Structures are given as structure tokens and as C-alpha cells.
Amino acid sequence: PVANPMHSRSTGLTPAGTSFAGDAVLMGGRGEVNPNFPPVVTGMDAFQAFHINPTLVQKFLKPLLIGELAPGEPSQDRDKNSQLVEDFRTLRKTAEEMNLFRASPLFFSLYLGHIIALEVLAWLMVSYCGTGWITTLILACILTTSQAQAGWLQHDFGHLSVFKKSSWNHIVHKFVIGHLKGASANWWNHRHFQHHAKPNIFKKDPDVNMLHIFVLGDTQPVEYGKKKLKYLPYNHQHEYFFLIFPPLLIPVYFQIQIISTMIRRRFWADLAWAISYYMRYFITYIPFYGVLGSLCLLTFVRFLESHWFVWVTQMNHIPMEIDSEKHRDWLSSQVAATCNIEQSFFNDWFTGHLNFQIEHHLFPTMPRHNFWKVKPLVKSLCAKYGVQYEEKPLGKAFVDIVGSLKKSGDLWLDAYLHK
């Protein structure tokens, strides 16, 4: 049976994070793309990866059914290793039988509790210690830590990896990202699920859409160089990266994008949650710092959080393969675009368990505290089929970000000058 999410690729993700998958014959004909929906990914594996209740989602698919594939039409992209695909599905079934998709209420309760404790500690500190420079600097670090950890927590609820029911995940997601961070759940879902569907794929993954500021991977720099495109001196991008990306992503780019998206798309519930965050923040700190001082403090916190966020999120992806669509199977496409960071208690906490990026991309609805349990199974499967499974120390991962930018910049310069 086939289903259509109103655009022409085989699987679609709505801005709310609901995907549709199957052997799709699509409403409106092939080649027609609805710009209001993000890029998509093919296959049953994607469908299973994004849903915790496929039976419920099938009810939404039924009205979209417009026909069945012809008998001779392949049910998946050609040239895939069918045995690898089958073994990965067996691995997923094994993980389900091991209850690795069952969340620990204690883990997530304690995690939320430590975020709230940091917020309370920040208020107590400024209440009893005053607003001196040293106190304010420590206060900013505490609030930054709270914001970063709330960011990792909202990521869990956004991926439906905590509660058994999607509705509960969505409700708490809005609370965490909205009231604890002042952002939009719908904005995050619309952007982040595109990334998960097609990681590191140009024109499909918004995280590698660098607006001509950076050139990434091996093919894009050469393409820009041959076309003599020079929006910026890309051979120096590994240097201006420090001035643009870490300090400005959250306080400038994301801030503008989040607010404009909520207003333009009329996400009024998200806007209300975000307003509740700012009301709580300013009510808490205006008595100590005044309006301007509180605004400066918040901007500084966003500045610090942006550094934390950028280094953690980019270390798993920028040094990996970034290219055009290659129509790989689910396992191969996800592993090619991601790498892991060595496990430790600090690395788990600091990265929100995104040091297990490979496992997270393969099983986005799996609670993060179970990644270490499924990791050996994933490594074994990758070794069986010669799929590179990359893992590195945290420090090297940071260095590799800069190294990969330099490599891409050098490729651009060579093509720009000589081709």
C-alpha cells in the first residue's frame, strides 16, 4: 500500500515531526514538492525510527492512500544490500526485546530536577551574594549550564523517547523548550527532523545549509571554486569560524529564526510558552539588575550557551561525510554522517549523551540512557558489513571540526585558482 504526505518523495516529515513511509505513489504526481514540508527519507526503517506508535500513525496515512505500486516496481531504492537491511531490522527487534526503548522515569526526573536546582541556585546566589562582577560571572555560568542541559532534555521529549504516548512527550516538550528555554517546539521539530531524515545531505539537511558562510565536505568547495564563488575567503573559514559560528548561532541566528517562525507560522501556543519564560526570567532578575542589566545578562548567557551547543553538535557531523544524496540504506546513511565520542560520566552529561550520536541517529526514539547497551550490537553489525564506525576522544573531536573546515577551505582555494 502507498501513502502520500503531499509531496513527492517517498517519506515525509511534517513540521510536528510526524513522518510517513512506505512504497509511495504520491498525490499530485512525481516531482512535485510542497515547499511547506521538509525533505524526506525513504523506507520502512525511517518510519520505524521516528514513531513510537506506528499503528496510530497508520490511521493518519489511510486518507492519503491513492494506490498501490505496480508489481514490477521495486519497494526500495536499487543497489542496496538487502541482507544488511534485514540484519539491521533484526537488530532493532532485538533492542525492542531487550526493552531498550523503555525509558527510566527516575533518570528523567532526576535530570529535570538538576536543571531546576541550578535555576534555584542561581537565584539564591544573587539574592545572598549581591550583584558584583564575580558573582554575576558565576551566576551566568550556572544559568548557561541550566540552559544547555534543558536543551538536551527538550531533545529527549522532542524525539518521543520518554513517555509511551506521543501526546505526553509533545506536552512536556513544549514546557521544557518553551518555559525553560524560551524557544519553540514546532520550530525545533520542523528543523531537527529534517536533519535526522537526511543528515549531512545538501539541500535536505538544514544543518549543512550554511548560507554561503562556510563550504563543507569535499564536493561543495570544489563546486564553489569552479564557479568562482567567493562570498567569503573560504580558505580562512577555519579561522573566522571562531568569530561567527560559536558566538552568534543561538543569540542571533536562532533567536531571530525562532521568533519570526512562531509569528509567521502562527505557533501561538509556542509563543505563549516562550513569553512565560521571559516573564519568569525578568521578574526574577530585574529587581537585582534592572531591565538593561537583565537583558545584558541574558544575552551573555545565550552567548556562552551558543559556544557549548555549537562545539557539541558539530563535533559529530562536520568532520564526517557531507555530500549530495546517495540513496543509501538507513544504517549506512546515518553512520556515514555521524561519529561517536568516547564514553565517560562527564562526556555523557556534557553532551546530553550525544556522544552516542551513531546510536541516537539509528534509534532516535530510544531513551539516551540505553545507548551504551545497544552500542556493541551496532558496532558488531557495522564490522560485519565493513561500515566504518568512528569513535574518538572529546578533545580530538573538537580539533577535527577546525581541521575539516581547513581541509574544505583548501579544496575551495585550489579549485578557485586552478580549475
Side-chain angles (χ1 to χ4, degrees):
V2 296
N4 172 44
M6 296 187 293
H7 53 113
S8 67
R9 298 165 189 169
S10 300
T11 306
L13 296 170
T14 71
T18 301
S19 67
F20 301 83
D23 306 328
V25 174
L26 302 170
M27 188 183 304
R30 296 184 184 273
E32 180 180 334
V33 178
N34 185 336
N36 293 321
F37 289 85
V40 292
V41 64
T42 303
M44 184 176 75
D45 298 313
F47 183 80
Q48 288 186 323
F50 292 124
H51 299 98
I52 59 175
N53 190 346
T55 303
L56 175 64
V57 178
Q58 290 287 357
K59 295 180 180 180
F60 294 94
L61 288 175
K62 286 182 180 179
L64 304 174
L65 177 65
I66 62 172
E68 306 232 356
L69 287 173
E73 191 75 15
S75 62
Q76 63 180 27
D77 291 328
R78 296 175 175 85
D79 302 323
K80 289 182 179 177
N81 186 329
S82 58
Q83 188 58 53
L84 187 159
V85 172
E86 187 63 31
D87 282 356
F88 174 74
R89 291 173 183 172
T90 301
L91 189 159
R92 180 183 176 88
K93 185 176 180 181
T94 300
E96 291 171 351
E97 292 171 350
M98 293 171 63
N99 290 323
L100 298 186
F101 288 88
R102 180 177 297 175
S104 165
L106 178 63
F107 175 88
F108 288 106
S109 296
L110 291 175
Y111 206 92
L112 176 60
H114 106 287
I115 293 169
I116 295 174
L118 286 169
E119 295 278 347
V120 173
L121 176 63
W123 177 78
L124 289 174
M125 186 174 161
V126 74
S127 296
Y128 288 96
C129 299
T131 57
W133 283 105
I134 295 178
T135 302
T136 300
L137 182 60
I138 297 174
L139 170 69
C141 291
I142 294 173
L143 290 176
T144 298
T145 303
S146 173
Q147 285 294 289
Q149 293 301 321
W152 308 143
L153 183 60
Q154 68 82 24
H155 180 259
D156 298 312
F157 291 104
H159 276 296
L160 315 179
S161 65
V162 182
F163 294 106
K164 293 181 180 180
K165 290 188 176 181
S166 297
S167 56
W168 279 105
N169 282 291
H170 289 311
I171 291 170
V172 181
H173 185 214
K174 287 182 180 295
F175 166 76
V176 176
I177 196 173
H179 185 68
L180 296 185
K181 290 192 61 62
S184 165
N186 281 297
W187 165 84
W188 183 88
N189 283 336
H190 182 80
R191 181 186 178 91
H192 193 66
F193 275 86
Q194 294 179 68
H195 162 69
H196 266 268
K198 292 291 184 179
N200 285 12
I201 302 298
F202 289 122
K203 299 181 181 179
K204 297 182 179 181
D205 180 0
D207 288 1
V208 295
N209 175 24
M210 296 295 181
L211 304 176
H212 306 301
I213 298 174
F214 299 99
V215 289
L216 304 174
D218 295 336
T219 58
Q220 187 189 49
V222 175
E223 178 184 335
Y224 270 48
K226 287 181 177 179
K227 294 179 179 180
K228 307 304 177 186
L229 296 177
K230 187 181 180 181
Y231 296 96
L232 285 170
Y234 298 119
N235 52 311
H236 293 289
Q237 65 178 5
H238 61 291
E239 297 167 343
Y240 66 70
F241 164 83
F242 293 93
L243 302 175
I244 296 177
F245 207 0
L248 301 181
L249 182 66
I250 288 180
V252 178
Y253 180 66
F254 276 1
Q255 197 72 20
I256 293 173
Q257 192 179 69
I258 289 169
I259 294 174
S260 63
T261 299
M262 287 191 294
I263 296 174
R264 190 176 67 255
R265 293 178 178 264
R266 300 179 181 180
F267 296 148
W268 304 130
D270 285 7
L271 185 60
W273 278 112
I275 290 173
S276 76
Y277 163 79
Y278 287 105
M279 289 179 61
R280 175 174 60 84
Y281 171 82
F282 284 114
I283 289 173
T284 301
Y285 291 104
I286 282 178
F288 301 104
Y289 291 99
V291 175
L292 182 59
S294 298
L295 189 59
C296 290
L297 175 62
L298 179 59
T299 302
F300 184 55
V301 168
R302 297 283 194 229
F303 169 83
L304 295 177
E305 181 197 1
S306 189
H307 283 79
W308 189 332
F309 176 83
V310 166
W311 287 102
V312 168
T313 57
Q314 300 311 305
M315 68 183 182
N316 302 111
H317 293 296
I318 281 187
M320 304 305 292
E321 179 185 293
I322 304 175
D323 210 335
S324 56
E325 177 66 82
K326 293 187 176 180
H327 302 286
R328 293 185 174 115
D329 60 87
W330 180 254
L331 172 74
S332 300
S333 65
Q334 299 298 324
V335 175
T338 57
C339 68
N340 277 11
I341 309 304
E342 292 178 351
Q343 184 185 18
S344 70
F345 178 81
F346 174 78
N347 286 356
D348 291 354
W349 174 83
F350 183 75
T351 68
H353 287 84
L354 294 182
N355 50 328
F356 292 95
Q357 190 73 219
I358 293 174
E359 288 72 26
H360 169 59
H361 264 256
L362 291 175
F363 311 106
T365 60
M366 181 179 289
R368 59 159 117 159
H369 52 73
N370 287 333
F371 288 154
W372 68 276
K373 296 179 183 178
V374 78
K375 175 182 173 181
L377 302 179
V378 174
K379 288 187 70 174
S380 178
L381 184 60
C382 288
K384 178 180 178 180
Y385 289 97
V387 177
Q388 184 178 2
Y389 183 105
E390 188 167 348
E391 186 174 28
K392 61 185 74 171
L394 183 65
K396 185 179 186 304
F398 290 160
V399 172
D400 284 352
I401 295 175
V402 182
S404 64
L405 289 173
K406 185 178 188 306
K407 176 186 175 184
S408 297
D410 290 341
L411 287 172
W412 169 82
L413 182 63
D414 180 66
Y416 187 83
L417 295 176
H418 305 117
K419 295 182 181 180

